[in-house]
Amino acid sequence: MPEFGWNCQKRCDATRHPYWQPTQSPGRMLRQARDEFVQLLTEALETTGWSTDSLALEEPPEDVDAIVASSIAFRLASEAQRPPPAVAAELADAMELEGATYLSRVETAGPYLNAIPADIYFRDTLQAAIEADFGQLPKQDETVVVEHTSANPTGPIHVGRARNPIIGDAIARLLIAAGYEVDIHYYVNDAGRQMAVFTWAYETFDENDLAEPPSRDRIEYDLVRYYRKGNSFLEEASSDEVGEAEAEIEAIMQGLEAGDEETYKRVSEVTDQVLEGMKACLARLPATFDTFIKETNFMLDGSTDGVVSRLQALEEAVFEDDAWQLELEDHGIDKRLVFLRSDGTSLYPTRDIAHHEWKFEQYDRAVTVLGEDHKLQADQLRTALSLLGNDTSQLQQVLYSYVNLAEGRMSTRRGTGVDLDDLLDEAIERARSEVERRMDDRIRDDGLDEETVEQIANIVGIGAVRYDIVSKQPTKPITFEWEHALDFEAQSAPFVQYVHARCCGILDRVEEPVGDDLSAPSHPTERALCELLAMYPYVVEEAAKELAPHRVASYLQDLADAFNAFYRDCPVLDSSGEVRANRLALVRGTQTVVANGLDVLGVGAPEVM
RNA sequence: GGGCACGUAGCUCAGCCCGGACAGAGCGUCUGGCUUCUAACCAGAUGGCCGUGGGUUCGAAUCCCACCGUGCCCGCCA
């Protein structure tokens, strides 16, 4: 079978294949190969005169050499009045491969059409994968704001919420890798009743009223004790005392609603301090933000009032029990949305509408990561925004299921739960003892100093926690168990990180430049690894489309497996010539993809382990 | 009661959006592999009425309906 490809005349016939040229994009071999296959298949359908609504593309099984396949023959069998294998064979015959770059031929396997890559597919992949920015997709003309975490500034972040910053940060990173311009926001709920309670408690009680010292030397651990004290007081005190406290809390909320500067300052004193502590915790993950936008902004600038008037003017608005509400039954939501209390103050959803309109003004798309307990509110928000004339297709809400303890739910107010700081500490500790055990067990002569061990422990420990969460579908329920969360076995971050360290170990010993004189590798294990490298940009593209970072994790698992097989079968440093050049490129490519892929997940890639 | 999510090997999970090639991993259990480019690794064995029942289809873990189990929500809280 002759090898078609890059030196073929028909390739330059742009009038015949109008869109092949534009889809060519550096480093996106699989994307282009798929486009080519689609084109060939479409033309073959025209030739044969058959039609169907789907090309039935699929990923071929592992033991097949193809990189893309189709089961379209099944669909055409009745129209063609022939058995599927005959249909497949006819289609394969009708395909004119002369125009393709990355596909060398299309084979049939029974009813299946399998597209086999050309040698240049492998060579170009190697060439692309050794570039540091491999998998960074071309710039998109779309700005996105990713809002995540947005936890009430009431106290330490517990594990129940930890999914939010981890998934949110990974989604933001994924979108950046996919070429979007991304801002990351934290919406600070500083205007609600909770913060009024907190402010009152902070001003009312002092250290002597608190039962216990802070469990950690950081500001939010100190202050949360006032919040808890305030809440338990409201539950337990006499009705006179509670009445007095409630009056004060009500005064704070009215003050905020009226835009009173003094009240705002009192609340800010609490909010800002607690938030500083929470930021410090999030920075450990690390989850960082471009903007912390406060709820009170939308009260002070009058936009919440504006939203209220516009909502009141809607057909769906009803005034009942002295409160303004939205009747959303006709929109599939049988729970009314109250947007103005009988005392004239706004509610969280009202302000969130103003907040979202503000986001819509500045960004093309708004992604929000929310706990599943906010599902109803998310639906109400979307509907209300739509009724106010917004295009809600630009709003994407990603829901995750809360992390619970076996004994029940975690709560900042009640003080039940495991603090994220404690989980991270423990993870780092375990990682450190693993590193040390390995140093003792094995005479590696790594010469790891204290500082390096510390660094590895951090990257591996925190990476394991992040990876454990980000590698699963967000909607899957998780029950927190220490043993599980700290399981560093295979199919975890350390497994993937280890591959990176192995790559670094090899490349450290190499003097020559990597990337000269590359060709298509011949060893099956090399080719399998190379095919996986070629997939990476495609994986980023698909994962970003679905806002599903866990797909990147699954891919990295496969890549790590393939690399370990390669590591076993194909000596790199002991090889020479063309083989060595290719193998070095495979190592560099794997190193790059693992580092870039882990980076998308927000997980570090250590150079030694 | 209603709405939503989840149910795949003893355990933890991919696969489901967009139906197709024998349902894949890891952990566990059992066997084997370090004077070798890092054994946080690898090779092999073991293990599945894909919650249940129906439907659509040439073909269903995947789509539709019903049911069962679990979780979340159904505040003038956020």
Side-chain angles (χ1 to χ4, degrees):
Chain A
M1 167 86 55
E3 197 66 36
F4 295 111
W6 56 97
N7 55 0
C8 176
Q9 284 182 334
K10 276 194 181 170
R11 185 188 167 203
C12 301
D13 189 351
T15 50
R16 187 158 166 274
H17 305 295
Y19 59 75
W20 282 13
Q21 215 56 31
T23 55
Q24 263 183 0
S25 146
R28 302 175 72 195
M29 273 58 63
L30 180 56
R31 173 85 268 166
Q32 194 189 328
R34 289 178 68 98
D35 288 347
E36 289 181 7
F37 187 56
V38 166
Q39 176 73 9
L40 290 170
L41 201 46
T42 306
E43 287 173 357
L45 286 173
E46 280 168 22
T47 307
T48 56
W50 298 323
S51 69
T52 174
D53 54 349
S54 166
L55 296 180
L57 294 196
E58 53 185 279
E59 269 181 42
E62 270 178 41
D63 53 349
V64 173
D65 284 336
I67 49 176
V68 55
S70 171
S71 59
I72 196 171
F74 284 112
R75 292 160 196 269
L76 299 172
S78 68
E79 183 188 347
Q81 298 195 320
R82 244 160 295 179
V87 173
E90 192 157 336
L91 284 171
D93 284 347
M95 290 190 191
E96 299 191 33
L97 270 293
E98 291 83 358
T101 301
Y102 284 146
L103 299 181
S104 65
R105 60 186 193 278
V106 173
E107 294 179 344
T108 61
Y112 296 97
L113 287 164
N114 291 322
I116 312 297
D119 276 353
I120 195 177
Y121 179 79
F122 293 94
R123 206 210 55 187
D124 281 5
T125 294
L126 282 183
Q127 201 72 58
I130 58 176
E131 297 299 327
D133 65 349
F134 183 61
Q136 173 62 53
L137 304 188
K139 200 160 164 38
Q140 301 277 334
D141 189 23
E142 187 178 355
T143 59
V144 185
V145 54
V146 175
E147 180 200 329
H148 71 79
T149 306
S150 300
N152 299 328
T154 51
I157 294 178
H158 58 64
V159 173
R161 303 200 163 109
R163 250 178 148 166
N164 203 318
I166 291 171
I167 293 168
D169 193 58
I171 286 176
R173 288 164 176 272
L174 178 57
L175 290 172
I176 290 168
Y180 297 94
E181 197 176 308
V182 176
D183 271 354
I184 308 177
H185 284 201
Y186 186 119
Y187 185 48
V188 183
N189 309 139
D190 64 335
R193 187 185 145 80
Q194 292 183 58
M195 291 318 294
V197 169
F198 202 161
T199 303
W200 155 79
Y202 178 71
E203 292 171 350
T204 302
F205 302 104
D206 63 37
E207 186 71 32
N208 299 330
D209 299 316
L210 306 171
E212 290 173 1
S215 56
R216 180 178 291 257
D217 183 22
R218 218 171 50 210
I219 189 69
E220 81 273 34
Y221 287 84
D222 181 7
L223 298 191
V224 72
R225 297 177 304 155
Y226 294 89
Y227 179 62
R228 286 174 186 153
K229 174 69 185 171
N231 277 292
S232 60
F233 180 90
L234 292 175
E235 279 171 28
E236 292 156 11
S238 70
S239 59
D240 282 359
E241 289 173 310
V242 170
E244 232 173 88
E246 289 291 357
E248 180 61 26
I249 291 162
E250 171 73 13
I252 292 170
M253 291 179 69
Q254 289 288 354
L256 284 179
E257 196 69 27
D260 175 54
E261 196 147 319
E262 181 57 28
T263 309
Y264 174 73
K265 274 168 75 175
R266 286 164 65 198
V267 175
S268 292
E269 189 181 338
V270 178
T271 308
D272 293 349
Q273 289 190 80
V274 175
L275 200 58
E276 277 316 304
M278 294 168 78
K279 280 186 205 175
C281 176
L282 291 167
R284 299 182 67 189
L285 284 173
T288 55
F289 299 85
D290 298 299
T291 304
F292 286 81
I293 181 76
K294 286 182 172 179
E295 224 182 329
T296 45
N297 270 34
F298 305 102
M299 302 168 85
L300 297 173
D301 73 359
S303 60
T304 300
D305 290 340
V307 164
V308 168
S309 332
R310 286 160 61 215
L311 288 173
Q312 284 169 330
L314 291 175
E315 228 175 87
E316 287 81 359
V318 290
F319 185 68
E320 203 176 289
D321 300 329
D322 295 331
W324 279 95
Q325 327 185 7
L326 232 41
E327 176 54 75
L328 300 175
E329 210 158 24
D330 294 345
H331 305 277
I333 300 172
D334 59 9
K335 175 82 187 86
R336 280 187 182 176
L337 173 65
V338 178
F339 61 90
L340 198 67
R341 291 190 181 94
S342 51
D343 67 2
T345 56
S346 61
L347 291 93
Y348 176 85
T350 325
R351 303 184 291 262
D352 206 19
I353 291 168
H355 169 221
H356 274 79
E357 290 193 329
W358 172 80
K359 289 201 278 191
F360 289 168
E361 276 170 27
Q362 307 176 67
Y363 301 95
D364 299 322
R365 179 151 59 119
V367 175
T368 317
V369 181
L370 295 162
E372 63 174 348
D373 49 334
H374 288 63
K375 176 73 163 81
L376 173 62
Q377 196 220 309
D379 290 342
Q380 288 178 327
L381 173 69
R382 174 181 288 279
T383 305
L385 281 166
S386 166
L387 292 174
L388 289 178
N390 296 283
D391 170 17
T392 50
S393 68
Q394 61 191 317
L395 174 63
Q396 293 176 293
Q397 294 152 317
V398 177
L399 298 171
Y400 67 92
S401 152
Y402 232 65
V403 178
N404 286 313
L405 296 167
E407 55 268 33
R409 209 180 154 125
M410 305 195 200
S411 156
T412 303
R413 183 165 51 77
R414 296 196 306 271
T416 56
V418 175
D419 293 322
L420 179 56
D421 281 306
D422 291 343
L423 175 60
L424 296 180
D425 284 352
E426 186 65 26
I428 292 166
E429 212 35 62
R430 292 219 187 180
R432 191 202 320 278
S433 51
E434 283 292 304
V435 178
E436 282 165 357
R437 185 174 64 77
R438 277 159 229 280
M439 286 203 307
D440 294 343
D441 280 8
R442 311 181 46 71
I443 306 140
R444 280 249 183 93
D445 201 22
D446 279 323
L448 301 183
D449 54 33
E450 186 96 0
E451 197 185 332
T452 310
V453 170
E454 183 66 30
Q455 271 176 14
I456 298 170
N458 256 280
I459 295 175
V460 171
I462 291 181
V465 170
R466 272 189 89 128
Y467 190 95
D468 182 53
I469 288 178
V470 83
S471 62
K472 291 171 180 136
Q473 280 186 51
T475 47
K476 295 270 186 181
I478 294 181
T479 300
F480 181 81
E481 291 164 71
W482 280 103
E483 282 313 310
H484 252 277
L486 296 171
D487 183 4
F488 292 176
E489 295 296 335
Q491 215 168 57
S492 71
F495 176 80
V496 179
Q497 290 171 322
Y498 189 60
V499 164
H500 186 262
R502 276 182 155 177
C503 291
C504 292
I506 292 172
L507 294 169
D508 273 351
R509 299 169 187 236
V510 172
E511 302 286 330
E512 77 256 37
V514 176
D516 292 348
D517 302 320
L518 299 177
S519 55
S522 52
H523 196 288
T525 315
E526 295 172 322
R527 290 173 82 91
L529 177 57
C530 197
E531 278 186 23
L532 273 162
L533 291 177
M535 280 180 78
Y536 179 61
Y538 182 74
V539 168
V540 170
E541 181 184 344
E542 291 292 305
K545 203 183 292 172
E546 298 169 31
L547 300 177
H550 76 275
R551 291 194 186 267
V552 176
S554 297
Y555 163 78
L556 288 177
Q557 204 68 232
D558 291 342
L559 178 67
D561 279 335
F563 179 81
N564 284 327
F566 164 78
Y567 188 88
R568 180 194 66 226
D569 293 344
C570 306
V572 179
L573 297 178
D574 287 345
S575 61
S576 60
E578 190 185 2
V579 170
R580 179 179 166 99
N582 283 336
R583 288 185 179 173
L584 283 174
L586 281 166
V587 174
R588 172 79 75 202
T590 304
Q591 180 196 41
T592 305
V593 171
V594 168
N596 292 354
L598 286 176
D599 187 60
V600 163
L601 304 179
V603 173
E607 292 177 14
V608 282
M609 278 177 78

